[in-house]
Amino acid sequence: MSDSADSRESVNFLEAIIREDVEAGLHGGRVLTRFPPEPNGYLHIGHAKSIALNFGLAARFGGKTNLRFDDTNPAKEEQEYVDAIIHDVRWLGFEPARILFTSDYFEQLYEWAVALIRSGKAYVDFSTPEEMAAQKGTPTQAGIPGPYRDTTPEENLALFHKMQAGAFREGECVLRARIDMAHPNMHMRDPIMYRIKHAHHHRTGDRWHVYPMYDWAHGQSDSIEEITHSICTLEFAPHRALYDWFIEQLGIFPSRQYEFARFNLSYTVMSKRKLLQLVTEGHVRGWDDPRMPTISALRRRGFTPESIVDFATRIGVTKRENMIELSLLEYCIREDLNRRALRRFAVLDPLRVIISNYEEGREEWLESENNPEDTDAGHRLLPFGRELFIEQEDFMEDPPSKYFRLSPGGMVRLKSAYIIRCDGVDRDAEGKVTALRCTYFPESRSGQDTSGLKPKGVIHWLSVPHSRVAEVRLYDRLFTVEDPSAESDFRQVLHPESLVIKPDARIEPALADTRAGDKFQFTRLGYFCTDPDSTLEKPVFNRTVTLKDTWAKVADR
RNA sequence: UGACCCAUGGUGUAACGGUAGCACACCGGAUUUUGGUUCCGUUUGUCAAGGUUCGAAUCCUUGUGGGUCAACCA
């Protein structure tokens, strides 16, 4: 009975495949997956899906996951990226069973290549890239054999050894698998296995002059590690035939490849090329600019690893093209931070309030909850006095109906403090409001309110003399359109106000000793995270995400 | 003028021949000293046409639409 309940449980197609394999006793029920990044850039949220998928799937079946760096191209890869990637994977909460490098297998790969040459399954080709492209045909037209296809194994062997010995210039020749130039799958038309590069490799130094191509390294690395399920994105599906062919020719451990659809996130770009362009052209401040979809940027912006993994899980796994709404990511981080973040008061655009009937020089320390979702979080004390700051947005001289905040003659509750009424305004020479003249109701103090007054609005506030200056960075979507990649030039749709800096925001005293990475909810404003640029003299906060704002919707109508 | 993959509300994803469900978004309501949170509810969907079947989102056929494939990148 529990059996049928299990089989009815909803699982994605990959989990279903693995479950069948495990139940059939494939590889003794052992599951080993891998996450195989190329160390030529930083991880982004798309990688987080792959990481969560590979580690999650394996863990579900008592298996493990290797982190393997696909470092077959010495021209593009660097140790700096290796370190950053390891850091990001661990930060997300996953511990690789082993940390490995495709370059660890260069020797074995070379031996296997020699074996294929000996059996006439690979040959050295001196054709130019143009000649090779011409021989290769097109997707709708079969290719034709080139002039080097029937060189003898002995000659090919000698040539290949010379390639590795450094006897040829880069680009002079390549080693190709000998499969079928007329195959309907382009990848089977004698794909290149090795090219010559006289470059310094970040791990193997100057030992090699030939470097394996992806197709001749990836599947073999999977096989060497005895990866049971090699999970990759859809664009590699046509490579699967080659993946299987090499493994079969070599008679080695039969890893199997499965493909899923990567996801697109609305209002952002995810391709490494475009991300790099944003950085190098200065559209953002760097790879960890909080507007970027990189893991390092999300971390700096204040996303928790839990929220990212939750998101990566919620979006699901299929083979369909898809566009995930940014609002889902926002939901995930709000849900997490609502439970965990301490509430603090901050005023982004200060407006001075003078409480006329509050004695000059008097001050009170009022209690306010640190987190209404978590009573264990306790309380803090907020200083109250005659001069306060409130948010400019929380006052309107001529308010529309349903505006619950302050206006001339109107009343509002200062959260955790008193109810005040606005009696008048001070103006500068241009007529701009510079301060509000208010009276407070002493008997309306929070927790002991006997005033009988019931204002509809509640706003946050700060005591002027106790408040401190802070810089607050407000982020919005980086692009103005859902799918920037569909534009002829995605840089044309950059959002001009994706970053708005408030250099003179004010914060409450309890925020004085904040450190980089601290997360708060600034009451009524959103979730914020202390930036590494922060100093004791000048704290800097990043807005992670706003609170849901029902009023903004109403006001827009 | 090829091969391969895909098609379920606005978005994403379930339903393995038997009640089309869940989440986000949206809209409405209740509660609220955060216009937050929480709770309740409404609306909205099987690409099309045939076929198989007592019964089809599911199987078959043909269309239609979308995606991928021709780097000495991964």
Side-chain angles (χ1 to χ4, degrees):
Chain A
M1 204 74 258
S2 70
D3 220 32
S4 72
D6 274 353
S7 62
R8 250 186 277 119
E9 179 195 337
S10 143
V11 297
N12 67 55
F13 78 101
L14 290 174
E15 186 169 348
I17 287 169
I18 297 178
R19 174 173 295 188
E20 272 180 39
D21 287 346
V22 168
E23 283 170 0
L26 184 70
H27 307 309
R30 185 180 59 86
V31 174
L32 181 64
T33 59
R34 104 267 91 112
F35 173 62
E38 181 185 13
N40 70 343
Y42 292 90
L43 258 29
H44 55 65
I45 191 160
H47 294 111
K49 173 178 179 178
S50 175
I51 292 168
L53 187 59
N54 275 295
F55 280 86
L57 236 24
R60 215 152 300 141
F61 294 96
K64 290 190 176 345
T65 305
N66 289 344
L67 170 58
R68 182 175 71 237
F69 289 96
D70 225 335
D71 57 348
T72 56
N73 188 350
K76 289 164 53 183
E77 295 146 6
E78 293 168 26
Q79 185 62 36
E80 174 200 344
Y81 295 122
V82 170
D83 299 335
I85 289 168
I86 292 173
H87 180 250
D88 285 348
V89 169
R90 289 199 168 125
W91 180 76
L92 283 172
F94 301 103
E95 187 55 42
R98 304 166 72 192
I99 296 178
L100 302 159
F101 295 81
T102 299
S103 56
D104 294 340
Y105 313 134
F106 282 177
E107 197 74 52
Q108 173 67 266
L109 255 14
Y110 190 85
E111 283 174 30
W112 279 339
V114 166
L116 286 188
I117 293 170
R118 285 215 166 95
S119 60
K121 299 275 175 46
Y123 62 99
V124 175
D125 194 326
F126 287 84
S127 303
T128 65
E130 295 71 31
E131 288 166 344
M132 279 181 53
Q135 289 157 16
K136 204 160 190 176
T138 70
T140 57
Q141 187 181 12
I144 51 163
Y148 301 93
R149 204 165 189 268
D150 293 317
T151 312
T152 64
E154 292 69 30
E155 272 181 87
N156 280 320
L157 207 50
L159 254 15
F160 184 52
H161 287 319
K162 280 179 76 178
M163 282 171 70
Q164 160 54 11
F168 299 117
R169 284 171 283 114
E170 282 192 16
E172 199 170 348
C173 57
V174 295
L175 183 75
R176 300 177 75 176
R178 193 172 189 279
I179 308 179
D180 178 359
M181 288 303 289
H183 201 285
N185 183 337
M186 295 289 291
H187 295 279
M188 298 296 272
R189 321 239 266 227
D190 290 13
I192 296 174
M193 295 168 65
Y194 278 101
R195 77 286 215 188
I196 295 170
K197 283 198 186 291
H198 303 300
H200 187 86
H201 187 277
H202 74 117
R203 301 196 86 233
T204 59
D206 300 315
R207 176 155 147 59
W208 296 92
H209 289 96
V210 291
Y211 286 91
M213 298 289 289
Y214 168 85
D215 287 306
W216 173 246
H218 200 96
Q220 284 46 252
S221 302
D222 285 343
S223 183
I224 290 168
E225 294 173 19
E226 302 201 338
I227 300 295
T228 57
H229 302 264
S230 180
I231 297 163
C232 61
T233 46
L234 240 36
E235 64 271 25
F236 289 97
H239 296 247
R240 191 175 60 237
L242 226 201
Y243 184 101
D244 292 340
W245 189 86
F246 279 134
I247 283 179
E248 198 189 328
Q249 297 307 312
L250 264 17
I252 56 181
F253 182 87
S255 298
R256 297 296 305 266
Q257 173 185 301
Y258 301 92
E259 311 88 21
F260 70 94
R262 56 166 43 145
F263 74 94
N264 301 290
L265 226 208
S266 63
Y267 299 102
T268 191
V269 295
M270 214 96 91
S271 90
K272 265 185 196 174
R273 199 196 101 246
K274 292 197 176 79
L275 259 18
L276 178 66
Q277 214 173 340
L278 288 172
V279 173
T280 55
E281 293 177 6
H283 299 114
V284 295
R285 295 176 171 190
W287 282 100
D288 67 344
D289 184 301
R291 290 168 291 182
M292 294 280 277
T294 54
I295 301 298
S296 54
L298 291 167
R299 176 167 53 230
R300 184 170 183 177
R301 177 142 170 185
F303 279 78
T304 59
E306 290 83 357
S307 71
I308 294 171
V309 173
D310 181 35
F311 171 78
T313 307
R314 280 173 186 268
I315 60 179
V317 182
T318 64
K319 300 178 82 156
R320 307 174 208 153
E321 289 291 309
N322 61 83
M323 171 75 77
I324 308 292
E325 291 178 346
L326 194 56
S327 58
L328 183 62
L329 216 210
E330 294 178 341
Y331 168 83
C332 290
I333 186 59
R334 283 193 190 110
E335 186 184 56
D336 191 17
L337 260 17
N338 178 48
R339 288 185 289 113
R340 304 157 62 152
L342 299 182
R343 311 296 125 122
R344 292 291 182 260
F345 284 0
V347 174
L348 266 24
D349 297 295
L351 173 62
R352 194 172 290 258
V353 168
I354 295 144
I355 313 287
S356 318
N357 60 339
Y358 198 89
E359 295 159 52
E360 232 156 313
R362 182 181 168 203
E363 76 178 45
E364 282 177 273
W365 288 76
L366 305 170
E367 209 173 56
S368 190
E369 71 271 11
N370 280 327
N371 186 350
E373 305 300 315
D374 175 13
T375 47
D376 291 343
H379 296 261
R380 72 194 186 283
L381 294 174
L382 283 163
F384 186 86
R386 179 180 161 89
E387 289 204 29
L388 308 175
F389 284 128
I390 66 167
E391 208 70 64
Q392 279 174 29
E393 273 198 348
D394 290 336
F395 172 78
M396 282 186 89
E397 272 204 273
D398 193 14
S401 62
K402 301 259 178 59
Y403 183 80
F404 299 156
R405 286 109 97 152
L406 248 201
S407 57
M411 288 189 302
V412 78
R413 157 75 66 183
L414 297 178
K415 184 171 168 59
S416 302
Y418 299 94
I419 294 170
I420 60 171
R421 185 184 61 217
C422 177
D423 304 317
V425 303
D426 293 354
R427 298 173 193 282
D428 62 15
E430 283 92 51
K432 186 172 169 287
V433 174
T434 55
L436 268 27
R437 299 279 164 179
C438 298
T439 50
Y440 87 114
F441 298 88
E443 66 281 15
S444 69
R445 182 169 161 165
S446 280
Q448 47 204 74
D449 184 355
T450 56
S451 70
L453 302 170
K454 298 277 179 235
K456 295 203 78 168
V458 179
I459 65 174
H460 59 283
W461 52 275
L462 251 24
S463 160
V464 171
H466 297 88
S467 73
R468 299 168 55 102
V469 175
E471 175 176 320
V472 178
R473 299 172 182 170
L474 307 178
Y475 301 101
D476 204 340
R477 45 188 64 155
L478 229 198
F479 295 94
T480 56
V481 300
E482 261 205 349
D483 187 6
S485 298
E487 303 293 315
S488 54
D489 182 355
F490 73 107
R491 296 164 302 181
Q492 297 297 305
V493 291
L494 278 160
H495 183 184
E497 297 194 334
S498 58
L499 169 60
V500 173
I501 296 177
K502 302 284 183 184
D504 293 307
R506 304 291 170 130
I507 55 175
E508 67 168 272
L511 246 13
D513 57 354
T514 183
R515 302 178 101 90
D518 288 349
K519 293 170 182 63
F520 303 99
Q521 182 196 106
F522 289 173
T523 299
R524 299 210 309 132
L525 296 176
Y527 295 98
F528 292 78
C529 179
T530 310
D531 191 83
D533 287 348
S534 215
T535 63
L536 233 39
E537 299 71 46
K538 177 100 175 208
V540 178
F541 298 94
N542 296 313
R543 183 172 69 196
T544 309
V545 65
T546 62
L547 258 25
K548 275 174 70 178
D549 189 348
T550 310
W551 166 245
K553 274 183 206 162
V554 176
D556 272 353
R557 289 181 199 156

